[in-house]
Amino acid sequence: MENARKKAGLTPPQILVIGFAVIILLGAALLSTPAASANGQPLPFLDALFTATSATCVTGLVVVDTGSRFTMFGQIVIITLIQIGGLGFMSMATLVAFALKKRISLKERLILQEAMNQGSMEGIVRLIRKVIMYSLTIELTAAVIFAIRWSFDLSPGKAIYFGIFHAISFFNNAGFDLFGSISGPFSSLTSYVGDPVVNIVSMGLIILGGLGFVVISDLLELRKGRKLSLHSKVVLSATGALIVVGALVIYIFEFTNPKTLGSLSWHGKIWAALFQSVTPRTAGANTLDLGGMRQASQFFIIILMFIGASPGSTGGGIKTTTFTTLVGAMIAMIRGKEDIVFFRQRLGRDRILKAITLTMFALSLVVFVAMVLSTTENHNFLMILYEVTSAFGTVGLTMGLTPDLTHVGKVLIMLMMFIGRLGPLTLAYALGPKAEKELYRYPEGKITIG
């Protein structure tokens, strides 16, 4: 296997792209069989491919309802794809290697470094061990709490099954749910809008999954007297600020809206505003009718979805660190400062250029696909932009457009989910020519800005 990769000359980004594509195709093949369909009729292959892409890219956008359209076999295929896609297929392969006591090669370490978005290979295998241990522990704990809570509403066996499924789905920020079989298709968690247990556990899973495994590891190491890294400080600060600001904005704009917060009690309003602020950070579950929100709230959620989660997490988007770097650059420019400084440490020029490149790349991609879909889909532009941003950020929230997508629309949204999960820059490195060091530099010139 190693020799074959060497002969093929594949780079780590190329291996990641091919690996995810193969997993998606295998998942689509399984989901298109009669055994996966609740009515015994095979799901059309394009719909099966869309579902497999959404699950592997931990998005949550669905063209058919997961709870009512798929059998238990189909649902197990989906949750397996979510687990593989959330942790990364290389992490899962490493888990198998650990079990078989195989050595992790240099090439495989390079791929793991790319998959986990790390700056170096140092300690990468140790990090993967922690990733697997943390993930399974968090998912198991949440599954137990969910099962206990839902045992009051469902049979014991179903409560346990629902607990396991939703713990994996929410921690991996996938947003797939099974409540369509109980509350009606595409209902998500709307029946539990004011339930504190479901809200707290779901939000906890989403936040932990979106922080990134490096940050979780840093937090656990605090008890050993170690200090938080700059990365963890920025991620935690940005995540907290976005959740609080998001909840306040949604609470203010939706307070009197009878279709959303208006009909809820005061504590129900708080839970709903908080949940809708957390879930655009690439989770995909919802407790309110998103289509019934005011346009100001819908557009604000688009911004949250575009920012997304944090690097090295199960989420997508341009990432909280990228957004924070851009805000830092703006503040530094306004104040006439030369450096961007966070917590008494300045950022290197390469970090700033990468943040600008990633944001412009992502913004251009979202705008272009939204423009194309506005000609193929018979819906208003805000709904289309919402769908495209949700796919890019691997969020899974929708205003109801996904089931009505044309074949062209489904293909474009699948591509957006794929790019969003891998990251635009990873895909660009995989498809672009090999970078070569420049042997000379041109003289510096000046242009007028602003």
Side-chain angles (χ1 to χ4, degrees), residues 233-257:
K233 289 178 182 177
V234 170
V235 166
L236 290 169
S237 301
T239 299
L242 286 169
I243 290 173
V244 172
V245 172
L248 284 173
V249 170
I250 292 168
Y251 188 86
I252 291 167
F253 279 114
E254 297 299 317
F255 188 83
T256 57
N257 186 351

Side-chain angles (χ1 to χ4, degrees), residues 82-83 87 132-146 163-164 167-169 171-172 205:
I82 289 171
Q83 188 73 85
L87 296 184
I132 295 167
M133 182 181 69
Y134 297 160
S135 299
L136 296 179
T137 303
I138 292 168
E139 288 171 354
L140 180 61
T141 304
V144 171
I145 299 172
F146 272 149
I164 294 170
I168 295 172
S169 178
F171 177 70
N172 288 287
L205 285 169

